[in-house]
Amino acid sequence: MASVAAKVMSTVSAPYGVLVTATQLAERIADIKSAETCDCSVFAFLSEVSPQLQRSFIDEMGVSKDAVAKVAQQFSTLAGYRLPLAV
């Protein structure tokens, strides 16, 4: 696992005891269903990982930036404040 993914996974997994792989997280951050189900690993990624590290992870994992932006927007609405990647 690359250092970017390792940093992200330690931030996302540790506080919530959620065991997801980097690949699973990459899929979830681009899936609008994650917002509908209030996936805590995705919210942790969008709210607790630095925006620069978020972008590096998205690039490293080959995730659609547009899809992540839509998920971030949904989570922003749910949370009541703007998340950095929200469109």
Side-chain angles (χ1 to χ4, degrees):
M1 182 177 352
S3 63
V4 169
K7 288 178 187 176
V8 167
M9 298 313 297
S10 66
T11 301
V12 169
S13 297
Y16 300 101
V18 177
L19 299 177
V20 295
T21 66
T23 301
Q24 289 170 325
L25 181 62
E27 292 169 357
R28 291 177 183 192
I29 63 173
D31 185 350
I32 199 67
K33 290 180 185 174
S34 296
E36 295 168 3
T37 62
C38 299
D39 186 309
C40 64
S41 62
V42 175
F43 185 66
F45 174 82
L46 295 170
S47 63
E48 297 179 26
V49 174
S50 74
Q52 180 181 356
L53 195 54
Q54 289 175 7
R55 288 188 286 278
S56 294
F57 181 80
I58 290 166
D59 290 341
E60 182 174 290
M61 300 302 291
V63 179
S64 165
K65 292 174 184 160
D66 290 338
V68 175
K70 290 177 185 176
V71 172
Q73 180 57 50
Q74 288 292 328
F75 270 108
S76 286
T77 300
L78 291 169
Y81 60 91
R82 187 183 178 287
L83 295 166
L85 295 183
V87 290

